[in-house]
Amino acid sequence: MRPSGRQPDQMRDVNITRDYTCHAEGAVLVEFGNTKVICTASVEEGVPRFLKGKGQGWITAEYGMLPRATGTRNGREAARGKQGGRTLEIQRLIARSLRAAVDLKKVGENTIYVDCDVIQADGGTRTASITGGCVAMVDALTHMLNKNMIKNDPLLRLIASVSVGMYKGTPVLDLDYPEDSKAETDMNVVMTQHGGMVEVQGTAEAEPFKREEMDAMMDLADKGIKELFALQQKALGW
Amino acid sequence: MRPSGRQPDQMRDVNITRDYTCHAEGAVLVEFGNTKVICTASVEEGVPRFLKGKGQGWITAEYGMLPRATGTRNGREAARGKQGGRTLEIQRLIARSLRAAVDLKKVGENTIYVDCDVIQADGGTRTASITGGCVAMVDALTHMLNKNMIKNDPLLRLIASVSVGMYKGTPVLDLDYPEDSKAETDMNVVMTQHGGMVEVQGTAEAEPFKREEMDAMMDLADKGIKELFALQQKALGW
Amino acid sequence: MRPSGRQPDQMRDVNITRDYTCHAEGAVLVEFGNTKVICTASVEEGVPRFLKGKGQGWITAEYGMLPRATGTRNGREAARGKQGGRTLEIQRLIARSLRAAVDLKKVGENTIYVDCDVIQADGGTRTASITGGCVAMVDALTHMLNKNMIKNDPLLRLIASVSVGMYKGTPVLDLDYPEDSKAETDMNVVMTQHGGMVEVQGTAEAEPFKREEMDAMMDLADKGIKELFALQQKALGW
Amino acid sequence: MRPSGRQPDQMRDVNITRDYTCHAEGAVLVEFGNTKVICTASVEEGVPRFLKGKGQGWITAEYGMLPRATGTRNGREAARGKQGGRTLEIQRLIARSLRAAVDLKKVGENTIYVDCDVIQADGGTRTASITGGCVAMVDALTHMLNKNMIKNDPLLRLIASVSVGMYKGTPVLDLDYPEDSKAETDMNVVMTQHGGMVEVQGTAEAEPFKREEMDAMMDLADKGIKELFALQQKALGW
Amino acid sequence: MRPSGRQPDQMRDVNITRDYTCHAEGAVLVEFGNTKVICTASVEEGVPRFLKGKGQGWITAEYGMLPRATGTRNGREAARGKQGGRTLEIQRLIARSLRAAVDLKKVGENTIYVDCDVIQADGGTRTASITGGCVAMVDALTHMLNKNMIKNDPLLRLIASVSVGMYKGTPVLDLDYPEDSKAETDMNVVMTQHGGMVEVQGTAEAEPFKREEMDAMMDLADKGIKELFALQQKALGW
Amino acid sequence: MRPSGRQPDQMRDVNITRDYTCHAEGAVLVEFGNTKVICTASVEEGVPRFLKGKGQGWITAEYGMLPRATGTRNGREAARGKQGGRTLEIQRLIARSLRAAVDLKKVGENTIYVDCDVIQADGGTRTASITGGCVAMVDALTHMLNKNMIKNDPLLRLIASVSVGMYKGTPVLDLDYPEDSKAETDMNVVMTQHGGMVEVQGTAEAEPFKREEMDAMMDLADKGIKELFALQQKALGW
């Protein structure tokens, strides 16, 4: 039933490659099937003004897409002179999610920038960004510990994310673009390693959805995210 | 337990005043307690470029706050030269929600702009905007029918929205600002008159939330939104 | 002769409502007939850079219009990414006028932001903004005295403003939109309580105007502004 | 009494040089003492969108200052990414004034851009711009007649402008920068060749001004502008 | 002598990988040592306004860097709201260079966008972009021929580019970042397959350079670019 | 052969007028035939952030064109809200060139802004700007010495610039606009008084150029720049 031939509860092949580029403190290429995102984590001393002197750190995120990551070319946001609403919405989601993984007090007065740049898009770029961005952030935290910038590991738990949706009346896991563009409902879920929910964002694209459908989608998300945690841990060598 | 003395499942006083200003096709003042939003619906002929010639209409939304709608003054977005991420995120949510209430084919090649401007904020501005914006949009659709711009009523159903959250470990309905700023979890729910869900956006501000908590919050939202539908219908004289 | 049936020297009904919203130090709804403007005065510690260390305060103003304050919708300035020339011109006028009412030395190193947001427009929005903004500013100054932010009242005098014009060859007072859009000449006058002039801005929209016409318009402005001072004082309970 | 040693009713030396640059249809260097402004008038076919198909033309103006036209360097507006409020206010004034000199119907569906660029500033840049811009516009209209772009001369009358003010209690004509920066009141007046007023903009910089003072300043403006008309006519060879 | 241990006339390892991403008509990863750039070529029907109706096509280029392509993080241009001078300068150079490789008449009224996005930077990003962008453009032209968008191959010749410089008094080929940041002179050369020069941009960073030094650098550039043409041809399977 | 009737190796008449305006520390009008550029040099205390505390000064440049400096009117960059790529490219070139003329250590923690504003354009605006800007900068340095802002003259050497090109197969010196718009190759060269090269930027507009052609153009540039140094020295009274 799915265009890709996958089972409803089957994720795409997911790959997490660390040290993908050489300059950043964390640099991950994450692939959810044909969706490919470079996630880098950069450590800088200092915090934004609203946090100065509060004895805590900050984690922020930025999201971008290469103009031809998609089937037709999208104008470059830098050339248009502003980031679009979709971009801002996604990078706010990534940053909130990543902050749920750490104890900001233990980050000290430092900021970690997680940049998620989509080099090829096939649906699920925000969930891939969160999943890969978390691994890049862990590498950056390790870097800070090794450099004695911080004393205690701020990591509380891994987080990961997947999309679920109602496609032709069936709940499906990890939508690719052909599904996403036709789905009745699209839901992005971010969870912690210990099963808690960090973000749930469900949108009825066409028809309103029912509580039972939401429950079925949440179950699928739970299954998929558990698989992602295993892949994150394997990539990290844990 | 709640700062306002309300019961956990008790909404604030909600008022919906139609014809609040004189120029717009729909003009509603919506009040959720101390949160006050002017929602106008403006009808214009024509559709955005991406819809030209497709024989359907469009509904879009813009959201703003007066600089001193809040406890401390916020710089005016027009003066800063751009709308912030929060603003863009909210107006995208409002527009998607309102589009779920109508059959865009029946709107013809016309556009309805729903402007939601917060003149006083005390939490829940986006849910008030959706709830009031829907009534303004209904008035605009009636205007279009009366002016013979369209032949059939595009309205499929009313939509309304409320926030729910976990506050000091208890699920509560319709958070005001003192609760919102302290809540562990904040969830905005948009539903249709017939019980379907249009948008669910839950965020763990501090601690991840559990499925049981999510279920309890969804139940509260369902209760609150039913009360809102009654108030919308009363305001509309149905 | 006037579309509204008013006498040439007759103002519209003017209402000044204090404490219209709950957060600002001064919060006034001012109505000149169908023109309705929310004027808030916000007190912040500190002054702009060019005044640092000069031992004086500052008063500034910002002006905006809700998109559907007018008969047809105007695009939101925040969405367009800049304030238009008309907006900047008006807010510069409001700010200069208000500064003429106070002794900035006595304001200390504090700034008062007066925000004038038009929620419904029917001509004369800038004169209503100045008249209502002055009352909001007085409330903010009282707040500063009560909070011991300042020791002596900086208020030198009230200021108020009205428009006058040549309409079908006759000098008229307080133009509404149907008059304003047809007037040969439009003049905005700001005066002090003691009869001094603060700003005079006259523009020939169609035909140049004569000195006698200017004199007749100035006489009308003088009459109208005296009425406004009475209303300001009544609103302030003086 | 005046820093320049001039009599209260004495203008600075004014020079109007036509054909100052070689490309524009009208190109004037106007000097009011040390204030020097290049005014070019450029003719383009077509009108702005809001005038399309109305069978009339348009005249618009833009104003700029070289960064070091003034005593201390001002940041370049192009580099800052926007024109300031002062600039927009001035160019709106110039354009309104120039439109009062012509019958736009006779301009056809053409637009004249009048660019006023201050290369050296010493007070009165806006009045010099209007006075010189009018001459540049006349040259552009002549060009249009010669090229058969239009059949009848659209010029209704010359316009010119001068500033007047209250300086140390005395009404003075044509303020230079040392006076302007100290004046109690500053008034810019635009008049037609036939004695009608087009714009009057008076501002009390420090103390409110009285009707008698305003009358005295208006008399001075009338005298100065008459001298400017003689200089415009001489420059034009009339 | 060189930090990398290379001979003065030795290029870094250069790799050109076609079909690196799946959506674009041409998609090349080009590597000059540690410098890695994704070059995509996108074909769109139509031409910019200034070329409409002239019966020719257009080739344009955009250049960007991921924020952490470099040793320290650079703010994202989309977030800052504008492209910097360096970016604009580079993308103008890439586009001019690529246009020298084709007969624009034969491109028809189509536009090819060449996007060069640096994912890892180690000096020479503009020369790598031109060299890789040319291969992506060739693939896009082949796509147009295969799709019958055009009848005749517009390609006149391959172009390629390399940097040369004076480093510690010695002319060197293909500077990496450690050399580039210390070089006395840096010169970027773009040449055609047949030995003609398309662009020569030499800059004395510290000391002015002599004609003999320029000649020596030009000889090195000639050698390096010949090697690049061999690699381009091999990658294209010619 | 040349449209102007000049010999291939003949420059236009060049004039350098110092003290052209009255406020700037250096103020030069430079004319290369009909190309006229006002170059001012402004001295400000302090340096950009990236140089703070490094004990050296900075020289920067900005370039602009009056809208009607050219044959058809160009939209004002301040009105469009950004400087174009050509502007940024030119001002970066001017600034780099001027910095090659001075020892920045001797400038102290001061910044010199060189503003080059084209009031009339006929080709070669960037080379005129560099040549005139250098003289303005020398005047600013003399001002600093006279005011005891610095102790030792930072000037290392004069720099000057000229364009050369291939026009109808012949190398020509100092292209005017009719030549520039038709030239096969256009090259801008910046040299020092002692014969060193600071910048060489050659572009094949139509056909690639050969080494022999480049050599011939460089010889012409050398001749022209020597003439410019004589004119700079004469203007400076050396």
Side-chain angles (χ1 to χ4, degrees), chain D residues 32-61:
Chain D
F32 276 40
N34 277 325
T35 289
K36 303 184 186 197
V37 186
I38 299 176
C39 305
T40 60
S42 302
V43 178
E44 292 191 10
E45 291 181 27
V47 286
R49 193 178 307 188
F50 70 94
L51 284 180
K52 284 235 169 92
K54 301 209 172 162
Q56 69 159 90
W58 192 239
I59 291 163
T60 188

mmCIF file of all heavy atoms in Angstrom, chain D residues 32-61:
data_model
loop_
_atom_site.group_PDB
_atom_site.id
_atom_site.type_symbol
_atom_site.label_atom_id
_atom_site.label_comp_id
_atom_site.label_asym_id
_atom_site.label_seq_id
_atom_site.Cartn_x
_atom_site.Cartn_y
_atom_site.Cartn_z
ATOM 1 N N PHE D 32 22.085 77.271 -1.582
ATOM 2 C CA PHE D 32 21.608 78.284 -0.626
ATOM 3 C C PHE D 32 22.804 78.492 0.304
ATOM 4 O O PHE D 32 22.986 77.728 1.253
ATOM 5 C CB PHE D 32 20.420 77.759 0.173
ATOM 6 C CG PHE D 32 19.057 77.880 -0.469
ATOM 7 C CD1 PHE D 32 18.871 77.645 -1.823
ATOM 8 C CD2 PHE D 32 17.927 78.221 0.296
ATOM 9 C CE1 PHE D 32 17.596 77.734 -2.404
ATOM 10 C CE2 PHE D 32 16.665 78.320 -0.269
ATOM 11 C CZ PHE D 32 16.486 78.074 -1.623
ATOM 12 N N GLY D 33 23.643 79.450 0.017
ATOM 13 C CA GLY D 33 24.875 79.596 0.783
ATOM 14 C C GLY D 33 25.697 78.329 0.664
ATOM 15 O O GLY D 33 25.953 77.848 -0.445
ATOM 16 N N ASN D 34 26.101 77.742 1.800
ATOM 17 C CA ASN D 34 26.911 76.534 1.770
ATOM 18 C C ASN D 34 26.116 75.254 1.566
ATOM 19 O O ASN D 34 26.688 74.161 1.535
ATOM 20 C CB ASN D 34 27.721 76.419 3.067
ATOM 21 C CG ASN D 34 28.995 77.251 2.984
ATOM 22 O OD1 ASN D 34 29.579 77.358 1.920
ATOM 23 N ND2 ASN D 34 29.387 77.820 4.118
ATOM 24 N N THR D 35 24.812 75.349 1.527
ATOM 25 C CA THR D 35 23.994 74.165 1.244
ATOM 26 C C THR D 35 23.958 73.950 -0.260
ATOM 27 O O THR D 35 23.580 74.853 -1.007
ATOM 28 C CB THR D 35 22.573 74.360 1.811
ATOM 29 O OG1 THR D 35 22.655 74.288 3.234
ATOM 30 C CG2 THR D 35 21.625 73.301 1.307
ATOM 31 N N LYS D 36 24.379 72.746 -0.674
ATOM 32 C CA LYS D 36 24.459 72.440 -2.102
ATOM 33 C C LYS D 36 23.746 71.132 -2.390
ATOM 34 O O LYS D 36 24.063 70.106 -1.782
ATOM 35 C CB LYS D 36 25.929 72.315 -2.538
ATOM 36 C CG LYS D 36 26.751 73.560 -2.241
ATOM 37 C CD LYS D 36 28.168 73.459 -2.755
ATOM 38 C CE LYS D 36 28.955 74.699 -2.285
ATOM 39 N NZ LYS D 36 30.186 74.904 -3.041
ATOM 40 N N VAL D 37 22.804 71.201 -3.318
ATOM 41 C CA VAL D 37 21.982 70.030 -3.632
ATOM 42 C C VAL D 37 21.962 69.841 -5.135
ATOM 43 O O VAL D 37 21.721 70.790 -5.879
ATOM 44 C CB VAL D 37 20.541 70.207 -3.120
ATOM 45 C CG1 VAL D 37 19.743 68.917 -3.316
ATOM 46 C CG2 VAL D 37 20.512 70.635 -1.664
ATOM 47 N N ILE D 38 22.223 68.589 -5.573
ATOM 48 C CA ILE D 38 22.056 68.248 -6.983
ATOM 49 C C ILE D 38 20.630 67.737 -7.163
ATOM 50 O O ILE D 38 20.227 66.770 -6.506
ATOM 51 C CB ILE D 38 23.064 67.171 -7.429
ATOM 52 C CG1 ILE D 38 24.501 67.673 -7.263
ATOM 53 C CG2 ILE D 38 22.807 66.758 -8.871
ATOM 54 C CD1 ILE D 38 25.560 66.624 -7.599
ATOM 55 N N CYS D 39 19.861 68.418 -8.022
ATOM 56 C CA CYS D 39 18.477 68.017 -8.283
ATOM 57 C C CYS D 39 18.390 67.559 -9.740
ATOM 58 O O CYS D 39 18.616 68.362 -10.644
ATOM 59 C CB CYS D 39 17.524 69.189 -8.097
ATOM 60 S SG CYS D 39 17.643 69.995 -6.493
ATOM 61 N N THR D 40 18.066 66.277 -9.949
ATOM 62 C CA THR D 40 17.873 65.817 -11.320
ATOM 63 C C THR D 40 16.416 65.421 -11.514
ATOM 64 O O THR D 40 15.767 64.937 -10.590
ATOM 65 C CB THR D 40 18.762 64.607 -11.662
ATOM 66 O OG1 THR D 40 18.440 63.548 -10.777
ATOM 67 C CG2 THR D 40 20.230 64.949 -11.559
ATOM 68 N N ALA D 41 15.916 65.641 -12.698
ATOM 69 C CA ALA D 41 14.561 65.189 -13.051
ATOM 70 C C ALA D 41 14.700 64.190 -14.183
ATOM 71 O O ALA D 41 15.309 64.495 -15.213
ATOM 72 C CB ALA D 41 13.716 66.379 -13.479
ATOM 73 N N SER D 42 14.161 62.992 -13.965
ATOM 74 C CA SER D 42 14.259 61.905 -14.940
ATOM 75 C C SER D 42 12.866 61.553 -15.429
ATOM 76 O O SER D 42 11.959 61.349 -14.622
ATOM 77 C CB SER D 42 14.886 60.660 -14.300
ATOM 78 O OG SER D 42 16.169 60.949 -13.790
ATOM 79 N N VAL D 43 12.720 61.438 -16.732
ATOM 80 C CA VAL D 43 11.425 61.116 -17.322
ATOM 81 C C VAL D 43 11.383 59.635 -17.664
ATOM 82 O O VAL D 43 12.302 59.125 -18.302
ATOM 83 C CB VAL D 43 11.201 61.950 -18.605
ATOM 84 C CG1 VAL D 43 9.872 61.591 -19.260
ATOM 85 C CG2 VAL D 43 11.283 63.432 -18.294
ATOM 86 N N GLU D 44 10.346 58.956 -17.213
ATOM 87 C CA GLU D 44 10.160 57.555 -17.600
ATOM 88 C C GLU D 44 8.731 57.345 -18.074
ATOM 89 O O GLU D 44 7.796 57.900 -17.502
ATOM 90 C CB GLU D 44 10.461 56.613 -16.428
ATOM 91 C CG GLU D 44 11.919 56.606 -16.060
ATOM 92 C CD GLU D 44 12.295 55.489 -15.071
ATOM 93 O OE1 GLU D 44 11.452 54.600 -14.818
ATOM 94 O OE2 GLU D 44 13.427 55.542 -14.570
ATOM 95 N N GLU D 45 8.584 56.539 -19.105
ATOM 96 C CA GLU D 45 7.233 56.198 -19.539
ATOM 97 C C GLU D 45 6.571 55.291 -18.517
ATOM 98 O O GLU D 45 7.226 54.483 -17.879
ATOM 99 C CB GLU D 45 7.283 55.501 -20.903
ATOM 100 C CG GLU D 45 7.703 56.462 -22.009
ATOM 101 C CD GLU D 45 7.747 55.802 -23.370
ATOM 102 O OE1 GLU D 45 7.007 54.825 -23.575
ATOM 103 O OE2 GLU D 45 8.514 56.281 -24.216
ATOM 104 N N GLY D 46 5.253 55.429 -18.377
ATOM 105 C CA GLY D 46 4.519 54.587 -17.448
ATOM 106 C C GLY D 46 4.278 55.301 -16.134
ATOM 107 O O GLY D 46 4.912 56.316 -15.825
ATOM 108 N N VAL D 47 3.323 54.777 -15.375
ATOM 109 C CA VAL D 47 2.970 55.353 -14.074
ATOM 110 C C VAL D 47 2.921 54.242 -13.038
ATOM 111 O O VAL D 47 2.857 53.060 -13.385
ATOM 112 C CB VAL D 47 1.587 56.055 -14.130
ATOM 113 C CG1 VAL D 47 1.680 57.379 -14.877
ATOM 114 C CG2 VAL D 47 0.538 55.159 -14.727
ATOM 115 N N PRO D 48 2.961 54.588 -11.750
ATOM 116 C CA PRO D 48 2.823 53.567 -10.707
ATOM 117 C C PRO D 48 1.488 52.833 -10.853
ATOM 118 O O PRO D 48 0.531 53.365 -11.422
ATOM 119 C CB PRO D 48 2.843 54.367 -9.405
ATOM 120 C CG PRO D 48 3.403 55.692 -9.736
ATOM 121 C CD PRO D 48 3.121 55.935 -11.175
ATOM 122 N N ARG D 49 1.441 51.633 -10.293
ATOM 123 C CA ARG D 49 0.274 50.773 -10.456
ATOM 124 C C ARG D 49 -1.057 51.448 -10.083
ATOM 125 O O ARG D 49 -2.046 51.293 -10.790
ATOM 126 C CB ARG D 49 0.467 49.503 -9.605
ATOM 127 C CG ARG D 49 -0.539 48.403 -9.944
ATOM 128 C CD ARG D 49 -0.298 47.157 -9.137
ATOM 129 N NE ARG D 49 1.113 46.718 -9.270
ATOM 130 C CZ ARG D 49 1.565 45.564 -8.792
ATOM 131 N NH1 ARG D 49 0.750 44.742 -8.145
ATOM 132 N NH2 ARG D 49 2.830 45.241 -8.932
ATOM 133 N N PHE D 50 -1.052 52.230 -9.001
ATOM 134 C CA PHE D 50 -2.334 52.808 -8.539
ATOM 135 C C PHE D 50 -2.882 53.857 -9.498
ATOM 136 O O PHE D 50 -4.007 54.314 -9.333
ATOM 137 C CB PHE D 50 -2.183 53.369 -7.111
ATOM 138 C CG PHE D 50 -1.340 54.617 -7.020
ATOM 139 C CD1 PHE D 50 -1.924 55.878 -7.063
ATOM 140 C CD2 PHE D 50 0.031 54.533 -6.875
ATOM 141 C CE1 PHE D 50 -1.145 57.033 -6.980
ATOM 142 C CE2 PHE D 50 0.809 55.675 -6.787
ATOM 143 C CZ PHE D 50 0.221 56.920 -6.838
ATOM 144 N N LEU D 51 -2.107 54.236 -10.519
ATOM 145 C CA LEU D 51 -2.580 55.241 -11.487
ATOM 146 C C LEU D 51 -2.805 54.650 -12.877
ATOM 147 O O LEU D 51 -3.246 55.371 -13.782
ATOM 148 C CB LEU D 51 -1.554 56.376 -11.607
ATOM 149 C CG LEU D 51 -1.517 57.372 -10.461
ATOM 150 C CD1 LEU D 51 -0.458 58.436 -10.729
ATOM 151 C CD2 LEU D 51 -2.878 58.060 -10.276
ATOM 152 N N LYS D 52 -2.530 53.355 -13.021
ATOM 153 C CA LYS D 52 -2.624 52.747 -14.362
ATOM 154 C C LYS D 52 -4.009 52.955 -14.974
ATOM 155 O O LYS D 52 -5.026 52.721 -14.324
ATOM 156 C CB LYS D 52 -2.306 51.241 -14.271
ATOM 157 C CG LYS D 52 -0.828 50.959 -14.120
ATOM 158 C CD LYS D 52 -0.270 50.012 -15.176
ATOM 159 C CE LYS D 52 1.253 49.995 -15.127
ATOM 160 N NZ LYS D 52 1.774 48.936 -14.258
ATOM 161 N N GLY D 53 -3.998 53.416 -16.207
ATOM 162 C CA GLY D 53 -5.258 53.539 -16.944
ATOM 163 C C GLY D 53 -6.099 54.738 -16.556
ATOM 164 O O GLY D 53 -7.242 54.873 -16.984
ATOM 165 N N LYS D 54 -5.570 55.626 -15.723
ATOM 166 C CA LYS D 54 -6.356 56.799 -15.310
ATOM 167 C C LYS D 54 -6.039 58.019 -16.184
ATOM 168 O O LYS D 54 -6.530 59.112 -15.905
ATOM 169 C CB LYS D 54 -6.088 57.125 -13.839
ATOM 170 C CG LYS D 54 -6.442 55.972 -12.913
ATOM 171 C CD LYS D 54 -6.869 56.425 -11.536
ATOM 172 C CE LYS D 54 -7.393 55.221 -10.741
ATOM 173 N NZ LYS D 54 -7.437 55.433 -9.314
ATOM 174 N N GLY D 55 -5.194 57.833 -17.181
ATOM 175 C CA GLY D 55 -4.936 58.929 -18.107
ATOM 176 C C GLY D 55 -4.237 60.131 -17.494
ATOM 177 O O GLY D 55 -4.422 61.266 -17.931
ATOM 178 N N GLN D 56 -3.413 59.900 -16.490
ATOM 179 C CA GLN D 56 -2.663 61.011 -15.908
ATOM 180 C C GLN D 56 -1.253 60.573 -15.593
ATOM 181 O O GLN D 56 -0.938 59.379 -15.619
ATOM 182 C CB GLN D 56 -3.362 61.532 -14.653
ATOM 183 C CG GLN D 56 -3.327 60.587 -13.467
ATOM 184 C CD GLN D 56 -3.549 61.306 -12.151
ATOM 185 O OE1 GLN D 56 -4.678 61.446 -11.701
ATOM 186 N NE2 GLN D 56 -2.471 61.783 -11.534
ATOM 187 N N GLY D 57 -0.401 61.530 -15.311
ATOM 188 C CA GLY D 57 0.981 61.224 -15.003
ATOM 189 C C GLY D 57 1.249 61.294 -13.508
ATOM 190 O O GLY D 57 0.321 61.439 -12.703
ATOM 191 N N TRP D 58 2.536 61.223 -13.149
ATOM 192 C CA TRP D 58 2.906 61.240 -11.740
ATOM 193 C C TRP D 58 4.262 61.912 -11.575
ATOM 194 O O TRP D 58 5.104 61.860 -12.472
ATOM 195 C CB TRP D 58 2.953 59.811 -11.190
ATOM 196 C CG TRP D 58 3.041 59.736 -9.696
ATOM 197 C CD1 TRP D 58 4.034 59.151 -8.968
ATOM 198 C CD2 TRP D 58 2.095 60.233 -8.743
ATOM 199 N NE1 TRP D 58 3.766 59.263 -7.632
ATOM 200 C CE2 TRP D 58 2.586 59.924 -7.458
ATOM 201 C CE3 TRP D 58 0.884 60.925 -8.845
ATOM 202 C CZ2 TRP D 58 1.922 60.280 -6.290
ATOM 203 C CZ3 TRP D 58 0.220 61.282 -7.683
ATOM 204 C CH2 TRP D 58 0.737 60.961 -6.426
ATOM 205 N N ILE D 59 4.419 62.569 -10.456
ATOM 206 C CA ILE D 59 5.699 63.174 -10.113
ATOM 207 C C ILE D 59 6.073 62.679 -8.735
ATOM 208 O O ILE D 59 5.265 62.769 -7.796
ATOM 209 C CB ILE D 59 5.618 64.708 -10.150
ATOM 210 C CG1 ILE D 59 5.444 65.153 -11.599
ATOM 211 C CG2 ILE D 59 6.876 65.346 -9.556
ATOM 212 C CD1 ILE D 59 4.962 66.554 -11.759
ATOM 213 N N THR D 60 7.252 62.116 -8.608
ATOM 214 C CA THR D 60 7.680 61.626 -7.309
ATOM 215 C C THR D 60 9.085 62.158 -7.032
ATOM 216 O O THR D 60 9.730 62.717 -7.916
ATOM 217 C CB THR D 60 7.608 60.086 -7.247
ATOM 218 O OG1 THR D 60 7.846 59.662 -5.923
ATOM 219 C CG2 THR D 60 8.630 59.433 -8.177
ATOM 220 N N ALA D 61 9.512 62.034 -5.793
ATOM 221 C CA ALA D 61 10.812 62.595 -5.428
ATOM 222 C C ALA D 61 11.541 61.647 -4.499
ATOM 223 O O ALA D 61 10.922 60.897 -3.741
ATOM 224 C CB ALA D 61 10.639 63.953 -4.745
#
